Amino acid sequence: DPNDFLRGFKLLLAPNGLITFEFPDVMQLIQRCEFDTIYHEHFMYLSLLSAEALLRRNGLKVVRVDTLATHGGSLRLYARHDSWDGPIDTSVAGFRAKEAAAGLHTLEAYQKFPKKVAALKRRLLSLLIDIKDAGKTIAGYGAPAKGNTLLNYCGIGMDMIDFTVDRNTWKHGQYLPGTRIPILPVSAMDERRPDYVLILPWNLKDEIVANMAHISDWGGRFILPIPEPVIL
């Protein structure tokens, strides 16, 4: 219950206190087709416009907005009591205008999203099918919740992905939910030398590519599924 949640903050906040909230940015989620960010641990996907409405309803107001790279794009809002008469950072009006320009105050922007997701699914499947038809092998990197959303929605199983690896030892010897793709230690990548590696936690792309750059020694290449399926 977001209203009950925010009423609690209203009660706890000192007269000149400052609260911060951080959550995935729905504007970037839509624009970059980050549908796999939507899964059971995340109950709400907020814009500044919707968050402001919630806060206003419960006696609070946004005084600053930061944009972050976390989860493929997140917002950090700073809020105070609605009676606070100090300055409002220019970031609030600026980001509010961006969201309005993106149509986030209308249903149309959200109604177009499923079509974009379905089109991305087709492009990713087409890329993977071409690779498999060429007789190449594909492994996954990571076993994140977002990766399971991606694989299950796209219908990508062991006919496409031979295995995935993860640094979390608690996941070793287990299987990805739904697809039943085995989760192995990262060392399996060097042992099996796949031709392509599909990066499932794409928001950590730079770190993963840097840590696993040596796959190029055997001609291995990375595949990035989102925001656009590409071979790196």
Side-chain angles (χ1 to χ4, degrees):
D1 183 344
N3 291 295
D4 180 66
F5 181 70
L6 290 174
R7 281 195 296 271
F9 276 96
K10 175 72 174 177
L11 289 169
L12 290 168
L13 189 62
N16 292 315
L18 182 70
I19 319 169
T20 64
F21 301 100
E22 186 177 324
F23 45 82
D25 174 10
V26 79
M27 183 167 69
Q28 289 195 65
L29 187 151
I30 290 173
Q31 290 176 343
R32 292 169 51 85
C33 213
E34 297 171 350
F35 71 93
D36 58 343
T37 300
I38 301 171
Y39 55 83
H40 67 285
E41 292 175 15
H42 299 166
F43 291 95
M44 279 182 242
Y45 302 86
L46 300 172
S47 61
L48 170 62
L49 294 169
S50 58
E52 280 194 305
L54 274 170
L55 289 161
R56 193 181 307 116
R57 188 182 305 150
N58 292 285
L60 299 164
K61 64 180 177 184
V62 178
V63 297
R64 175 179 155 188
V65 181
D66 289 347
T67 55
L68 309 169
T70 313
H71 281 299
S74 295
L75 295 182
R76 181 178 293 154
L77 305 187
Y78 299 77
R80 294 186 184 272
H81 287 291
D82 55 4
S83 58
W84 188 75
D85 60 0
I88 306 296
D89 192 85
T90 57
S91 59
V92 179
F95 202 81
R96 191 187 296 131
K98 285 182 182 179
E99 289 191 340
L104 294 191
H105 58 303
T106 69
L107 283 176
E108 186 180 7
Y110 302 92
Q111 290 170 335
K112 289 179 179 178
F113 184 52
K115 293 179 181 179
K116 288 180 63 177
V117 172
L120 185 145
K121 170 184 176 178
R122 292 191 295 270
R123 292 194 298 274
L124 177 59
L125 285 172
S126 179
L127 175 62
L128 297 181
I129 289 169
D130 286 346
I131 290 172
K132 295 298 287 186
D133 284 349
K136 303 296 185 180
T137 56
I138 307 172
Y141 188 99
K146 60 165 34 106
N148 289 310
T149 301
L150 174 80
L151 295 174
N152 281 283
Y153 170 68
C154 293
I156 299 169
M158 287 197 66
D159 56 333
M160 297 277 190
I161 307 296
D162 299 327
F163 64 94
T164 191
V165 302
D166 200 278
R167 294 188 179 279
N168 185 344
T169 58
W170 289 99
K171 296 181 180 182
H172 298 166
Q174 306 300 316
Y175 298 85
L176 294 182
T179 60
R180 301 295 294 166
I181 295 170
I183 307 168
L184 305 178
V186 176
S187 59
M189 202 71 78
D190 294 350
E191 295 163 4
R192 303 196 182 192
R193 299 192 167 197
D195 298 303
Y196 292 88
V197 176
L198 178 65
I199 300 175
L200 295 174
W202 48 261
N203 53 309
L204 303 175
K205 175 200 71 170
D206 293 341
E207 177 185 336
I208 292 167
V209 169
N211 288 339
M212 300 296 296
H214 65 279
I215 71 167
S216 63
D217 294 346
W218 63 80
R221 301 180 68 182
F222 293 101
I223 303 170
L224 190 67
I226 290 176
E228 181 63 32
V230 291
I231 297 173
L232 301 179

